[in-house]
Each structure stands twice: as structure tokens, then as C-alpha cells.
Amino acid sequence: MHAFNDLDQTTQTELEAAAFRRLLTHLDANKDVQNIDLMILADFCRNCLSKWLVSAAEERGERLDYEAARQHVYGMPYSEWKEHHQARATPEQLAALEARQAKKSHEE
């Protein structure tokens, strides 16, 4: 059995990519989990994943369209996902997100 850091770089990258694909599959299977809930609990959401893909591409000298990245993460155009799966944020969710953001800004 290996420690992760003992694996060669290619294997590490392949495992990380597989885990990312599994995360996308998991999020797709749990469309009821709203982005705002992810932001409140974990400080990231599907849009963040899309932005991270664009950023990773830029770090490699590639250009990746943000909307194309969102379509990859959401499994469909974002506008379609929003129409079918995104609920209006409740006042409680908005308050919780605001509290999370305030706490985060005080910690920085």
C-alpha cells in the first residue's frame, strides 16, 4: 500500500482526475443540493468548480471558455440547469451565506 505522495506524478494526476469526475457525477445525482447550500457549508459551489477549471487551463497556457466549463460541470447548459434545478434562495439561506461570508472576512 502506498501513501498518496509516494505515487508517481502521473498516477497522482490520474487519481485526482478520477476523483473530480466522481465529484461531478455525485453532484449531478444530487441536483437538489443547491449551490447556495454548498457555499454555506463548504465555501464552494458548482460555479467555483467551473472557475477552477478555467484557472487550471490558464495555468497551463490554455484558454477555456467559462460557459463551456460550466456546461461540463453541470452536465448541461447552465441556463437549462438553473431553469430545471435551481430553487429561489430562502431568506434563511441568504442570511446563512451572509454570515459565512462575514465570518470569512473577519478571519482573513
Side-chain angles (χ1 to χ4, degrees):
M1 185 167 300
H2 298 284
F4 189 82
N5 290 339
D6 292 337
L7 299 170
D8 64 83
Q9 188 61 50
T10 299
T11 301
Q12 287 180 20
T13 300
E14 290 170 355
L15 293 175
E16 290 165 343
F20 180 74
R21 288 189 297 271
R22 187 164 180 181
L23 172 62
L24 293 182
T25 300
H26 183 76
L27 289 171
D28 190 52
N30 293 278
K31 290 179 179 78
D32 58 314
V33 177
Q34 297 293 301
N35 282 335
I36 194 166
D37 295 323
L38 291 169
M39 289 297 294
I40 293 164
L41 295 172
D43 200 33
F44 86 98
C45 69
R46 293 168 180 89
N47 290 323
C48 296
L49 292 173
S50 304
K51 290 174 185 174
W52 297 343
L53 280 173
V54 170
S55 177
E58 288 174 358
E59 288 172 9
R60 298 180 58 92
E62 300 289 335
R63 292 188 51 150
L64 177 61
D65 179 70
Y66 176 57
E67 290 305 318
R70 284 198 338 181
Q71 184 164 342
H72 178 69
V73 168
Y74 283 92
M76 64 186 70
Y78 177 63
S79 59
E80 184 179 324
W81 191 92
K82 226 172 114 169
E83 179 182 330
H84 296 288
H85 305 289
Q86 185 169 311
R88 183 177 298 269
T90 66
E92 294 81 11
Q93 287 172 314
L94 293 171
L97 180 60
E98 187 176 315
R100 169 92 158 133
Q101 296 299 323
K103 179 183 175 192
K104 192 170 98 174
S105 68
H106 289 342
E107 292 173 353
E108 294 176 346

